[in-house]
Amino acid sequence: MGIITEYNPDLALRNISEFKNGKRKKEECIPEDLKAGKIFSFLKSGQRHYWLFGDIPLLETKGNQRLSRPKASIIILEATHFLENDKVYTKGKYKVTEVFKDNKIHFEGLNKLKDEDVK
């Protein structure tokens, strides 16, 4: 038996409507008041590992790996694995460094582009 773990190059959360409709916890969703400098909590099922040494994209997921373009650039501040009802979860905190209000490309792989590189 092995250890099931996932390495994520981004943080993919649900639309806040999932929380408002009672389908998800608030920490599983992108906050309505997403602003640079704010710190938020997140919750994901499974044992996940995130890059901690720089910005990563915050994406919206509809499930089954259907992901949006980046909604924001974030830094993961902490990530903790825990068990609840015999299921593994990852919870943590992230800080928003920039919110994107356009459809431009802001990341190439794990590299955040500088303003002059964004097209």
Side-chain angles (χ1 to χ4, degrees):
M1 181 174 164
I3 298 170
I4 299 171
T5 187
E6 188 172 326
Y7 291 83
N8 295 121
D10 50 48
L11 178 61
L13 299 175
R14 301 290 178 137
N15 187 283
I16 194 68
S17 64
E18 297 272 328
F19 167 69
K20 290 179 178 181
N21 293 331
K23 295 180 181 176
R24 299 277 173 176
K25 294 181 180 179
K26 190 172 186 177
E27 296 81 11
E28 294 178 283
C29 301
I30 296 175
E32 285 182 299
D33 60 340
L34 200 63
K35 290 183 181 141
K38 290 190 83 172
I39 295 173
F40 298 96
S41 297
F42 72 89
L43 176 66
K44 297 289 290 182
S45 64
Q47 187 169 337
R48 296 166 184 266
H49 299 276
Y50 297 97
W51 176 253
L52 300 176
F53 291 107
D55 288 74
I56 64 170
L58 174 65
L59 311 176
E60 184 177 306
T61 181
K62 294 183 183 200
N64 297 320
Q65 300 175 353
R66 291 179 295 156
L67 304 170
S68 71
R69 286 204 180 228
K71 301 286 185 185
S73 181
I74 65 167
I75 295 173
I76 301 286
L77 301 174
E78 63 183 61
T80 304
H81 306 118
F82 69 99
L83 286 172
E84 187 173 285
N85 298 323
D86 293 326
K87 289 182 82 176
V88 177
Y89 293 90
T90 303
K91 66 179 176 178
K93 295 192 180 302
Y94 63 94
K95 182 177 183 178
V96 178
T97 59
E98 185 178 353
V99 177
F100 305 131
K101 305 243 185 227
D102 56 39
N103 261 343
K104 294 179 183 174
I105 297 171
H106 295 276
F107 282 87
E108 277 188 23
L110 285 176
N111 297 320
K112 184 173 185 236
L113 300 175
K114 295 179 176 72
D115 286 340
E116 61 269 14
D117 297 330
V118 175
K119 298 182 177 126

